[in-house]
Amino acid sequence: MEATPGLAVNWKKNLVFIGISQFLAMVGFGCCMPFIPLLMRNTLHITDDSVRGVFVSAYYFAGMISLCVATTVWGILADRFGRKIMLLRASYGAAIFYPLLAFAPNVWVLITIRFFCSFFSGTVNPAQTLLVSTTPSDKHGFVLGTLSTSTWSGNMLGYLAGGLIVHYTHDNYKIAFLTCGFIYLISGLLVHIFVRENFVRPVRTDSKGKKDAPKYKFRELATPAVIWLLVMFLLMGISRRIEQPFLAEQVRVVHGDDGAAFFTGIISAAAALGGVISGILIGHLCDRMPPRKLLIPILLFSGIATAVQALAKDIPVNITIGSFHISCLGGIWILIIARFFTYLAAGGLQPVLQVMLTKVTPPELKGTFFGWSGSVNTAGGIVCSFMSAGIAFYFGVRGIFLAAAILMFLMIPLTIPTVRACLKEYRVDPDATAKDLREKKL
């Protein structure tokens, strides 16, 4: 899908429809993904908890390893054949493969479908690449932040929609998975019809006059700034994912079994709300100050909030104002508030790092570099699957949350070499504001 050179692109229109498409994509994803353990138990009849736990881990591992490899592959192809077609491939691929999960006759087929589903889907990274490649550089923070808000909002609504579908259809998972596929189809059609790009395939002429795509050596692309940023993406992937599977268990530790499921849902919604606000706030700040100056406050704030989650205890709280009296256990509310502030801060880390990456990489290779960052970020999730079991065994569930906080604190000193390397390689004035960039038409 090679666009016409010089085609006018309305980046605001692109942002609206890509934002809506990714909102819908996350709604579709949330409709079915949380119910995989229930599908294994109720439909595939894996009733033993230990055996089912192994298969659930294998299912998610297959998805992560596939996505880790595929993100780089599709990113490179995006720079050769266009960014829009990569987003369409991911949307339509998800529309085809996710419904197939509901028809798997056994768990091995389910895991195999999941592998191919992850390889051919994954819409967030190509959506980010397409937006950045069709948006003025002074608006990169704004569009990435807005996209982050769309995905967080979609996640929040998707989990709710999926729960309602499964509940009111009496555990009919096929309807949930088919709904997921249909929503992804609508998401792809919105991009197909309304989104435009002015991509021109890069070419070079060899000594014989033959045209071919330009080739780059890895050492030419992997500059010090890029390497340091990829390290930050990896650590971000670990610190933000390592405690996610243990949230419900932490709620039980803090509050007990009574109402654990209810409060887990409330805390998840609070985290999603924090992510929604973060996308708007951090995206706004990225276009009005150098993004690198946001790194340390984000990491410090999110590290403290995560440590508070780890140390939360259920203590009696009694508040009396005149004749009005409140008596409750405060630990769960500490957990809810801390979770909100964790994602309010940490939700902005990815847009900040991505804006920094766009400033040290050539525009024609955005797909390649965003593919690398996506793969490294996903690799962080793979590392988590090996780390978390050992930490939980020796230090308990609180140790998992403390490990996440420690990782965020350890990233703070790493911002120094990262920022220094970026300052040497910035393709524009590192302290230029959005107004400066507009005036220089950069």
Side-chain angles (χ1 to χ4, degrees), residues 147-206:
L147 186 63
S148 176
T149 297
S150 296
T151 56
W152 280 107
S153 303
N155 266 323
M156 188 163 50
L157 180 60
Y159 293 142
L160 173 62
L164 292 174
I165 290 171
V166 171
H167 177 74
Y168 285 105
T169 59
H170 306 289
D171 296 341
N172 191 333
Y173 303 105
K174 288 184 179 179
I175 294 179
F177 281 88
L178 289 172
T179 301
C180 169
F182 178 75
I183 293 175
Y184 266 106
L185 177 62
I186 299 299
S187 170
L189 288 173
L190 284 175
V191 174
H192 206 147
I193 296 170
F194 296 106
V195 175
R196 298 287 182 268
E197 71 170 335
N198 55 355
F199 175 80
V200 179
R201 184 178 179 181
V203 295
R204 70 173 183 179
T205 303
D206 59 20

Side-chain angles (χ1 to χ4, degrees), residues 89-113:
R89 176 266 313 159
S91 300
Y92 293 147
I96 294 171
F97 280 101
Y98 276 117
L100 292 179
L101 291 168
F103 298 93
N106 57 63
V107 71
W108 295 110
V109 174
L110 184 79
I111 292 172
T112 302
I113 295 173

Side-chain angles (χ1 to χ4, degrees), residues 39 60 140 149 209 211 303 305 388 420 427:
L39 175 71
Y60 284 103
H140 283 173
T149 297
K211 292 184 177 180
S388 57
R420 285 179 177 173
R427 303 172 69 85

